[in-house]
Amino acid sequence: MEFSGTFELEETTTDEVWLALSDPVMIEHALPGCEFLVEVDDPDPDFDALRDEYEDRDVEPTSDPEVIAERAFEEGGHYAGIVGISIGPVNPTFETVVTIDERDQPYMEASGEGSAGDSSFEMTSWMDLTDIDDGVEVDWNTEADVFGNIAGMGQRVINPAANQVVKRFFSSVQDEIREREIAEGSEVDAAESNEDDRGIVDRILGRSEGN
């Protein structure tokens, strides 16, 4: 199955959106049904142990580049999460592991898999950011193989559910950017005005030295 679309974020820039989307905590807060999203060393983690460790944590998104740099997504990194989703008459909760395959602003690509009872999926996904007149255009695409009970529902049921999740996610991203004042550029500009902090921002934004 293939899912794709375009979403526009208003009154912001690719730098600001990339900064926000570099924060796993922000993704956790914005993604509907996500209980937690954390980096793991083992691509086949113990989800019971992860639940015990992370299900009650209280960590907030931020617009502080230094904080984001400490926990930002890394190319080649593995990230485990618990995500619940409504698909037709069922509400599976997937144990999911995603690997960041490529991360070079404004493009990110990831692959992953998840399972919930007798249902599972494997997917590859990419996202590309483009500045437009009044904000940022996000092009996204996901190719997924779905197995088990959910696969029997067919794309007519799965596709609207997936599109609704993506729509809610990017709407939440827009809200988070506004709430954290990332769109004002204050944190980015302040960091870039300091020589030491500029390296932190450049690392998050995927800039090479000398650019």
Side-chain angles (χ1 to χ4, degrees), residues 135-156:
V136 173
E137 183 177 86
V138 184
D139 290 319
W140 63 273
N141 177 277
T142 296
E143 294 184 6
D145 293 320
V146 184
F147 311 96
N149 184 42
I150 290 179
M153 297 181 183
Q155 193 155 352
R156 283 188 177 184

Side-chain angles (χ1 to χ4, degrees), residues 10-171:
E10 300 176 350
E11 298 177 353
T12 187
T13 68
T14 55
D15 277 0
E16 292 153 1
V17 174
W18 188 262
L19 183 69
L21 295 178
S22 295
D23 185 3
V25 174
M26 199 285 297
I27 303 298
E28 175 184 314
H29 278 246
L31 185 62
C34 185
E35 297 180 18
F36 61 80
L37 179 65
V38 295
E39 186 173 13
V40 293
D41 294 327
D42 186 352
D44 185 20
D46 182 340
F47 277 95
D48 290 335
L50 291 176
R51 281 190 179 93
D52 290 341
E53 183 174 358
Y54 293 109
E55 66 179 354
D56 294 324
R57 71 175 182 156
D58 184 17
V59 183
E60 290 293 324
T62 181
S63 58
D64 186 336
E66 291 190 25
V67 175
I68 294 176
E70 289 295 321
R71 63 195 190 197
F73 289 114
E74 295 184 358
E75 190 169 303
H78 307 295
Y79 298 84
I82 302 290
V83 182
I85 185 173
S86 295
I87 305 176
V90 299
N91 300 279
T93 298
F94 286 95
E95 298 178 345
T96 306
V97 177
V98 174
T99 299
I100 306 301
D101 297 315
E102 183 177 347
R103 183 176 179 274
D104 186 14
Q105 189 190 3
Y107 180 84
M108 187 183 300
E109 184 172 327
S111 58
E113 58 184 30
S115 61
D118 68 349
S119 296
S120 63
F121 71 86
E122 298 174 356
M123 67 87 181
T124 59
S125 183
W126 58 260
M127 169 185 74
D128 196 17
L129 310 180
T130 305
D131 278 319
I132 56 177
D133 288 343
D134 191 34
V136 173
E137 183 177 86
V138 184
D139 290 319
W140 63 273
N141 177 277
T142 296
E143 294 184 6
D145 293 320
V146 184
F147 311 96
N149 184 42
I150 290 179
M153 297 181 183
Q155 193 155 352
R156 283 188 177 184
V157 175
I158 297 174
N159 207 337
N163 287 330
Q164 182 64 22
V165 168
V166 172
K167 181 178 179 180
R168 290 176 58 192
F169 169 72
F170 282 116
S171 293

